[in-house]
């Protein structure tokens, strides 16, 4: 019975709604983050290999700043610079691993447009983040508002925002969990709970910037995750392939996650299925929590995968950051 109650509580915490434990608004400032190294497996500390992933490092992150945590998406650089975004509109920049940080660690709220300043702090349920390295611009997907916004370099200001009827048709409690920018300038958004008739997840392929008013209506595709899982983040590997992070909550295992790969058709057509192929699964006794953030970098010839968890600002969950090499 106790385990069932825990699952029910966690399921409620996953809903994008006002949460008494989410931090209220605060100003920008410095951030102190401590990282405790963790083995991948609690029963076999020597285990390094799961599926097509090789475990390189993993940490439990803590900070005395009350706004730290709730990581729902992230970007990473090869030198260990991390930019994380919480599910309450908070940016967190810090360094992990060996070497000196290239920038000062910070925590700051996302900038908002003047017209949006009267919206309540809990409405900024930012669940997805992507970046164009060529222009240094960022895009954020907001689940409750079902809106995509583009930000200037350095998150200096909001440049544009747009809502789409295709996204407004998704449940507010499970909309823009995943937003990826492809190298050719297309964008892909996957609904966490917006389902098609066959039980797959509605997926929107935008030919251009989804925050711009002139971008044409997106193409509807269908994402088919590993059975029982829902997508929580996605990142492009190249113009055709994407990694997708998927989450499941059960009474037996609590949180588990799978990392999967999908391939876009060369010439996508409405209704095309994007069937996930599992690369690795994270479940007890391996490190497992509410994994929602996914990023990819390169170290030489190796592709590096970063996975982060959202602790929902609850004492019984953890902020985990895991680093893998992908075969």
């Amino acid at each position: 019975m106790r385990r069932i109650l825990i699952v029910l509580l966690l399921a409620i915490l996953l809903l994008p709604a006002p949460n008494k434990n989410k931090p209220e608004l605060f100003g920008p400032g410095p951030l102190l983050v401590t990282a405790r190294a963790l083995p991948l497996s609690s029963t076999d500390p020597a285990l390094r290999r799961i599926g097509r992933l090789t475990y390189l490092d993993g940490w439990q992150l803590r900070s005395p700043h009350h706004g730290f945590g709730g990581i729902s998406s992230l970007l990473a650089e090869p030198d260990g610079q991390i930019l994380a975004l919480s599910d309450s509109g908070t940016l967190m920049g810090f360094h992990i691993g060996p070497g000196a940080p290239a920038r000062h660690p910070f925590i700051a709220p996302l900038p908002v447009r003047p017209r949006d300043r009267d919206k309540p702090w809990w409405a900024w349920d930012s669940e997805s983040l992507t970046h164009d390295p060529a222009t240094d611009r960022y895009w954020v997907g907001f689940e409750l508002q079902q809106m995509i916004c583009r930000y200037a370099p350095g998150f200096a200001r909001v440049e544009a925002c747009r809502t789409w009827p295709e996204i407004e048709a998704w449940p507010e409690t499970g909309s823009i969990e995943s937003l990826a920018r492809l190298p050719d300038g297309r964008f892909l958004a996957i609904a966490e709970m917006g389902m098609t008739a066959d039980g797959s997840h509605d997926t929107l392929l935008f030919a251009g910037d989804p925050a711009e008013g002139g971008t044409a209506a997106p193409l509807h595709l269908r994402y088919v995750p590993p059975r029982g899982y829902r997508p929580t983040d996605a990142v492009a590997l190249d113009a055709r392939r994407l990694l997708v992070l998927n989450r499941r909550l059960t009474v037996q295992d609590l949180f588990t996650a799978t990392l999967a790969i999908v391939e876009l058709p060369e010439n996508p057509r409405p209704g095309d299925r994007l069937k996930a192929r599992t690369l690795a699964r994270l479940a007890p006794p391996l490190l497992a929590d509410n994994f929602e953030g996914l990023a990819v970098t390169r170290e030489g010839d190796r592709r590096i995968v970063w996975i982060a968890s959202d602790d929902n600002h609850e004492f019984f969950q953890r902020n985990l950051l895991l680093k893998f090499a992908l075969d």
Side-chain angles (χ1 to χ4, degrees):
M1 178 60 70
R2 181 182 178 185
R3 200 169 186 85
I4 293 173
L5 291 175
I6 291 173
V7 170
L8 290 174
L9 174 60
L10 290 171
I12 292 170
L13 291 173
L14 294 180
L15 298 178
N19 185 324
K20 65 180 178 63
N21 291 325
K22 285 187 177 182
E24 296 193 28
L25 290 179
F26 53 86
L31 179 66
L32 173 64
V33 176
T34 59
R36 181 170 68 93
L38 299 172
L40 177 61
S41 171
S42 61
T43 59
D44 182 4
L47 181 67
R48 312 293 294 182
R49 184 78 179 175
I50 54 165
R52 288 183 52 188
L53 298 180
T54 300
Y55 186 60
L56 301 178
D57 281 301
W59 306 269
Q60 181 174 356
L61 307 177
R62 289 191 175 96
S63 174
H65 196 294
H66 74 281
F68 181 79
I71 298 173
S72 289
S73 51
L74 76 156
L75 299 169
E77 298 178 22
D79 62 358
Q81 287 292 143
I82 303 295
L83 179 65
L85 179 64
S86 84
D87 55 9
S88 52
T90 300
L91 289 166
M92 297 161 279
F94 56 94
H95 179 268
I96 197 76
R103 293 182 289 276
H104 292 297
F106 73 92
I107 187 166
L110 284 169
V112 298
R113 298 176 297 181
R115 73 182 78 168
D116 295 326
R117 288 175 183 163
D118 290 334
K119 292 183 178 180
W121 59 269
W122 49 261
W124 297 101
D125 185 37
S126 43
E127 293 284 353
S128 48
L129 169 68
T130 191
H131 178 238
D132 175 15
T135 64
D136 197 27
R137 284 178 166 81
Y138 300 84
W139 288 259
V140 173
F142 295 95
E143 194 165 54
L144 274 176
Q145 300 186 57
Q146 298 179 302
M147 178 172 66
I148 298 173
C149 292
R150 186 183 73 239
Y151 295 82
F155 280 95
R157 66 184 184 280
V158 184
E159 291 188 335
C161 293
R162 185 171 177 182
T163 57
W164 291 85
E166 293 86 353
I167 294 176
E168 290 177 313
W170 297 346
E172 286 185 357
T173 54
S175 60
I176 321 173
E177 280 278 342
S178 306
L179 180 66
R181 183 186 183 276
L182 301 172
D184 60 9
R186 293 179 297 169
F187 287 75
L188 192 98
I190 307 176
E192 182 190 9
M193 295 174 62
M195 313 300 286
T196 64
D198 65 352
S200 55
H201 294 253
D202 193 21
T203 300
L204 303 177
L205 180 62
F206 296 89
D209 183 349
E212 271 303 331
T215 299
L219 186 70
H220 284 270
L221 307 175
R222 296 177 293 165
Y223 172 65
V224 184
R227 186 172 182 178
Y229 285 83
R230 297 178 186 265
T232 58
D233 206 357
V235 64
L237 289 176
D238 51 41
R240 295 277 302 279
R241 297 179 303 158
L242 296 102
L243 291 181
V244 184
L245 183 64
N246 304 272
R247 172 184 62 203
R248 183 171 69 178
L249 177 62
T250 64
V251 173
Q252 180 177 352
D253 293 323
L254 298 182
F255 283 115
T256 63
T258 62
L259 182 68
I261 190 169
V262 297
E263 186 168 348
L264 288 172
E266 186 173 357
N267 298 297
R269 296 176 298 178
D272 279 347
R273 287 164 56 90
L274 308 179
K275 186 169 176 55
R277 179 163 53 89
T278 298
L279 303 179
R281 180 173 181 264
L282 290 164
L286 306 183
L287 291 171
D289 213 299
N290 181 28
F291 288 121
E292 291 197 12
L294 179 66
V296 174
T297 59
R298 293 197 77 95
E299 293 181 5
D301 294 332
R302 294 196 304 180
R303 195 173 266 121
I304 305 300
V305 175
W306 304 78
I307 298 175
S309 69
D310 173 2
D311 71 340
N312 291 303
H313 299 282
E314 292 287 352
F315 70 92
F316 54 84
Q317 291 183 260
R318 297 180 292 178
N319 293 298
L320 300 179
L321 180 61
L322 311 184
K323 181 181 180 182
F324 298 92
L326 172 64
D327 287 348

